[in-house]
Amino acid sequence: GLASLPEGLQTLLGEGGARLSGGEGQRVRLGRALWQTGVRLALLDEPFRGLDRDQRSRLLGEARSCWAGATLLYVTHDLAETLAFDRVLVIEDGGLVEEGIPAELAADTESRYRTLLDAETALKDLWGKDTPWRRLRLDEGQLQETSAVGQNG
């Protein structure tokens, strides 16, 4: 965070933010964007990649509050986050395959959006916090399980 930088906001970050990790650079760019005034259109492309769900939710709330009068285009692979938006566009293979109000699309069992939401939910259930990691080893053509290595979460 800023506290770890030797000169706070005045610290030189190097060409293109070279002194920062990818996630740190991404958050610095978001912070700079949030300081802009008169924003009419904001495009956030996977802005919170690498952050946990609570952090993403909090930062998205702050961005939506800051840009309440602007059109916000939010690109994400986390479909659950899109349920709180006014409109969703489903893009696959470079083309628009569906668009509409998230709640309406989610209620339609034939919609692509609903199919993707269901798949995301199933995957999250499969990799839930209580699912132990397994260590597998291929030994002479046989897959063998060894001791567990901890919990996912």
Side-chain angles (χ1 to χ4, degrees), residues 6-147:
E7 296 175 43
L9 286 173
Q10 301 306 314
T11 302
L12 296 176
L13 302 178
E15 183 69 30
R19 293 185 56 197
L20 301 174
S21 72
E24 289 170 330
Q26 186 175 17
R27 287 184 286 283
V28 166
R29 288 186 292 280
L30 177 63
R32 287 177 175 163
L34 288 170
W35 281 354
Q36 301 298 313
T37 59
V39 173
R40 294 178 36 208
L41 173 66
L43 171 60
L44 300 177
D45 186 359
E46 297 285 354
F48 313 121
R49 181 180 55 239
L51 299 178
D52 67 39
R53 182 167 294 280
D54 290 338
Q55 290 173 315
R56 288 193 318 263
S57 178
R58 184 179 52 77
L59 288 172
L60 178 57
E62 288 178 21
R64 292 182 82 176
S65 175
C66 182
W67 293 319
T71 298
L72 176 61
L73 296 176
Y74 185 71
V75 179
T76 185
H77 288 89
D78 188 342
L79 294 170
E81 290 181 348
T82 66
L83 288 165
F85 282 86
D86 298 331
R87 183 165 221 76
V88 67
L89 307 173
V90 179
I91 298 173
E92 288 184 326
D93 298 323
L96 179 66
V97 296
E98 191 170 65
E99 61 90 17
I101 298 169
E104 291 176 4
L105 292 175
D108 179 358
T109 58
E110 300 296 316
S111 82
R112 182 66 180 139
Y113 182 71
R114 168 67 182 271
T115 301
L116 293 168
L117 277 174
D118 289 346
E120 180 179 76
T121 300
L123 183 61
K124 286 179 181 174
D125 289 345
L126 177 66
W127 291 101
K129 290 185 178 177
D130 295 330
T131 303
W133 284 93
R134 295 170 45 196
R135 180 179 288 173
L136 303 174
R137 181 179 55 147
L138 187 60
D139 186 16
E140 296 181 16
Q142 297 292 319
L143 190 60
Q144 299 186 12
E145 186 169 351
T146 62
S147 62

